[in-house]
């Protein structure tokens, strides 16, 4: 194996597309992951939602680029990654949610998002059978969509390999190696690999990896459960987000996939902090009540399976991306806050530009928003 130009720790939602983008520039990246193959960490736990509908300019811009990559992938490369551009819909039943969502339009429109307020009838057309009582209307962003996390991740992996990127699996990074204040590579349980640039893209393990060079990365995982039903005749295309809190959950969201199955998830309240990914007996009754309450026609659907994954959270709900405040040559792309799939391709392109020194104005805006040394004073409204 030739000596790599860049070592990426983690073959997930950011690490694998980063290898692809770096290989496109002619660099030789090496990706190291303890799992058996690409995307076997939190990437495979994602439900597939891809939105640029955020309140933070950095997230909007990164996800707009991700949508461009996802939506044109089959045209450019031939792989069907099950991209479905059905948009995101936020039905609103509370005045406070209406005020919050309308209050985001200025920044969203300023950064190119096609999103508007629509009335109750339009919401009912997008989601036939949705509960009508108290429905005030909602927002709809038709450019957003869904994708298969497994197919997309495998497509990025195959393309990266074809361009010369190398991957080592079943290998665990034990130490980021340094000399005289700069990185020199990594030490794994199988050997030592040298490179002038090392990228931490280790998902929920980022804090432990950073600690090997004295970095205290403010990334704390919490767990979320999701599920999928049997197929049913397709009757809606949009991903639906209900912002209303109920006991045990802050919000929940669902969509109907290309295979006509309903995929669903919720945000636990309070958060379930830690790395436990065992399914619980609490999730399904809680989310079923929410699903049937909002869309009663789902009451007879049978659930095929449930699963649980980790959201590597930061204090303000946005990632930490850029040159690390540590040894020279160390890049961190950590704390995706459960949005690694939607941020990954676009954000990876920005990180590739950071490494090659070819930043655009858009890249600078993204990196400013995700700066590792920011003060964490605010919170992303749609995190």
């Amino acid at each position: 194996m030739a000596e790599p130009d860049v070592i990426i720790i983690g073959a997930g939602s950011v690490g694998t597309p980063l290898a692809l983008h770096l290989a496109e520039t002619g660099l030789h990246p090496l990706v190291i992951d303890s799992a058996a193959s690409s995307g076997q960490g939190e990437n495979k736990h994602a439900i597939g939602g891809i939105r640029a509908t955020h309140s933070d300019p950095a997230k909007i811009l990164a996800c707009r680029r991700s949508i461009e990559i996802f939506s044109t992938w089959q045209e450019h490369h031939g792989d069907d990654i099950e991209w479905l551009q059905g948009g995101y819909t936020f039905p609103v039943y509370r005045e406070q949610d209406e005020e919050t969502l309308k209050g985001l339009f200025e920044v969203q429109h300023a950064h190119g998002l096609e999103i508007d307020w629509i009335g109750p009838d339009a919401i009912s057309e997008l989601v036939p059978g949705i509960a009508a009582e108290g429905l005030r209307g909602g927002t709809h962003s038709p450019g957003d969509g869904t994708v298969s996390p497994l197919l997309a991740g495998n497509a990025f992996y195959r393309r990266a390999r074809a361009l010369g990127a190398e991957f080592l699996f079943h290998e665990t990074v034990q130490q980021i190696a340094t000399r005289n204040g700069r990185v020199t590579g990594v030490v794994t349980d199988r050997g030592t690999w040298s490179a002038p640039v090392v990228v931490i893209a280790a998902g929920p393990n980022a804090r432990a990896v950073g600690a090997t060079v004295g970095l205290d990365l403010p990334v704390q995982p919490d767990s979320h459960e999701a599920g999928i039903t049997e197929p049913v005749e397709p009757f809606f295309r949009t991903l639906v987000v209900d912002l209303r809190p109920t006991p045990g959950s802050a919000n929940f969201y669902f969509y109907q996939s290309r295979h006509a199955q309903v995929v669903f998830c919720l945000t636990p309240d309070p958060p379930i902090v830690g790395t436990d990914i065992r399914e619980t007996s609490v999730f399904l009754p809680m989310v079923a009540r929410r699903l049937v309450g909002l869309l009663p026609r789902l009451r007879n659907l049978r659930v095929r399976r449930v699963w649980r994954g980790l959201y590597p959270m930061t204090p303000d709900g946005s990632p930490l991306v850029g040159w690390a405040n540590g040894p020279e040559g160390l890049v961190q792309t950590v704390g995706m806050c459960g949005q690694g799939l939607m941020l990954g391709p676009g954000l990876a392109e920005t990180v590739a530009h950071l490494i090659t020194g070819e930043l655009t104005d858009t890249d600078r805006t993204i990196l400013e928003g995700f700066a590792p040394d920011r003060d964490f004073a605010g919170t992303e409204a749609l995190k």
Side-chain angles (χ1 to χ4, degrees), residues 29-312:
L30 170 64
V31 186
I32 301 176
D33 198 294
S34 59
S37 60
S38 178
Q40 293 303 302
E42 301 320 304
N43 179 266
K44 71 177 183 180
H45 295 140
I47 71 166
I50 309 294
R51 63 179 167 98
T53 302
H54 297 280
S55 65
D56 177 73
K59 281 189 179 179
I60 292 171
L61 294 172
C63 287
R64 282 190 61 192
R65 179 59 184 138
S66 289
I67 288 173
E68 291 174 6
I69 293 170
F70 283 127
S71 64
T72 61
W73 185 269
Q74 186 170 8
E75 174 188 348
H76 290 161
H77 304 295
D79 306 294
D80 181 5
I81 58 174
E82 296 186 359
W83 169 252
L84 179 63
Q85 198 152 20
Y88 263 62
T89 301
F90 289 70
V92 171
Y93 294 85
R94 303 188 304 168
E95 181 179 0
Q96 65 198 79
D97 292 334
E98 180 175 347
E99 291 176 355
T100 296
L101 292 172
K102 287 182 174 179
L104 302 178
F105 283 168
E106 183 176 358
V107 66
Q108 290 171 339
H109 292 159
H111 290 87
L113 293 190
E114 182 186 353
I115 181 171
D116 285 297
W117 182 265
I118 58 177
D121 290 344
I123 294 288
S124 295
E125 289 181 10
L126 287 166
V127 192
I130 193 169
E133 184 177 355
L135 181 61
R136 305 171 66 92
T139 63
H140 180 61
S141 47
D144 297 332
T146 58
V147 73
S148 165
L150 296 179
L151 292 177
N154 285 336
F156 294 149
Y157 168 72
R158 289 192 299 268
R159 178 68 178 163
R161 286 286 308 274
L163 292 172
E166 297 196 62
F167 289 75
L168 294 176
F169 297 113
H170 287 305
E171 190 157 345
T172 302
V173 172
Q174 298 177 326
Q175 177 74 49
I176 298 173
T178 65
R179 184 185 303 119
N180 299 325
R182 69 162 299 115
V183 301
T184 59
V186 300
V187 179
T188 76
D189 56 352
R190 293 191 173 190
T192 300
W193 302 96
S194 299
V197 176
V198 173
V199 180
I200 305 175
N205 300 316
R207 191 165 203 160
V209 173
T212 69
V213 284
L215 287 179
D216 184 14
L217 300 177
V219 177
Q220 175 65 64
D222 63 37
S223 59
H224 294 239
E225 286 186 79
I228 188 169
T229 73
E230 63 185 348
V232 64
E233 186 71 23
F235 70 100
F236 71 106
R237 290 171 56 91
T238 189
L239 191 149
V240 182
V241 183
D242 185 353
L243 292 175
R244 293 174 295 175
T246 61
S249 63
N251 55 61
F252 88 109
Y253 38 100
F254 61 97
Y255 72 97
Q256 192 169 22
S257 73
R258 279 259 301 269
H259 297 284
Q261 296 166 289
V262 176
V263 187
F264 52 89
C265 188
L266 58 70
T267 301
D269 185 25
I272 305 170
V273 177
T275 58
D276 189 348
I277 58 171
R278 294 174 298 176
E279 298 86 356
T280 71
S281 60
V282 175
F283 167 69
L284 196 52
M286 183 186 301
V287 75
R289 284 192 295 269
R290 297 206 63 164
L291 278 165
V292 175
L294 185 65
L295 196 55
R297 66 188 296 177
L298 298 179
R299 68 172 65 89
N300 294 320
L301 270 185
R302 290 173 293 189
V303 175
R304 283 277 177 86
R305 66 183 180 94
V306 296
W307 65 93
R308 194 176 185 189
L310 301 177
Y311 283 21

Side-chain angles (χ1 to χ4, degrees), residues 4-6 19-30 163-165 352 355-356:
D5 299 303
V6 180
L20 166 59
H21 289 308
L22 289 171
E24 287 177 334
T25 72
L27 293 179
H28 178 210
L30 170 64
L163 292 172
I355 292 170
T356 60

Side-chain angles (χ1 to χ4, degrees), residues 335-356:
M336 296 299 119
C337 301
Q339 297 171 343
L341 179 67
M342 65 178 72
L343 286 164
L347 186 55
E349 187 175 79
T350 289
V351 175
H353 293 164
L354 175 70
I355 292 170
T356 60

